[in-house]
Amino acid sequence: MSEEILLYLQKKDMRRDMREHLASFFSDKDAVSAASDKAAGTFLSSDIYRNAKTILAFISAENEIDTKRIIAKALIDGKDVAVPRIIPGTSSMDFFFLRGDAELSTQLVTGSYGIQEP
């Protein structure tokens, strides 16, 4: 078997193993909540956050740590927050600035691929 085929098979196995690991992790809601809290706490207490005027973030999907705490805190702190959205009728994305004077949930709809976006 060629080295390229072996490498391809190893990558395929690694991707499968990673998907299984992530599925297992995200089935434990307490672990996801703890990881989300830790990530948010680490970022929100960083100099990078404190010194930033603008925050570029993403709206987390089901199998990702929750980013809404970071976004909500940044809006409360008066930072400009932009999140990606799919440009209707295309497969391209742009960034959309969220409003600090409105609840995050009222600014989002389920868009392409079932992902929340402005």
Side-chain angles (χ1 to χ4, degrees):
M1 202 176 296
S2 78
E3 189 175 327
E4 288 178 353
I5 292 173
L6 284 173
L7 187 57
Y8 170 78
L9 293 174
Q10 287 174 337
K11 284 182 177 180
K12 188 177 177 182
D13 288 343
M14 287 174 30
R15 286 184 183 114
R16 183 200 65 236
D17 292 347
M18 205 53 181
R19 278 192 299 272
E20 290 173 3
H21 179 71
L22 286 171
S24 173
F25 174 77
F26 282 104
S27 68
D28 182 347
K29 299 302 178 195
D30 291 335
V32 173
S33 180
S36 297
D37 289 346
K38 184 173 183 179
T42 299
F43 179 67
L44 294 171
S45 65
S46 72
D47 288 339
I48 292 170
Y49 175 77
R50 271 191 297 278
N51 296 326
K53 179 184 179 326
T54 303
I55 302 293
L56 302 179
F58 64 93
I59 304 296
S60 48
E62 183 177 323
N63 287 338
E64 298 172 331
I65 62 164
D66 186 3
T67 58
K68 290 179 181 170
R69 175 177 167 206
I70 293 169
I71 293 168
K73 176 72 168 130
L75 290 171
I76 288 169
D77 289 346
K79 297 186 184 288
D80 295 324
V81 180
V83 296
R85 66 175 175 182
I86 301 292
I87 299 169
T90 74
S91 60
S92 297
M93 293 181 3
D94 67 358
F95 276 86
F96 181 85
F97 282 91
L98 298 170
R99 294 184 8 240
D101 62 347
E103 286 290 321
L104 180 59
S105 62
T106 65
Q107 299 181 67
L108 303 175
V109 297
T110 301
S112 302
Y113 310 105
I115 297 172
Q116 286 191 311
E117 59 185 22

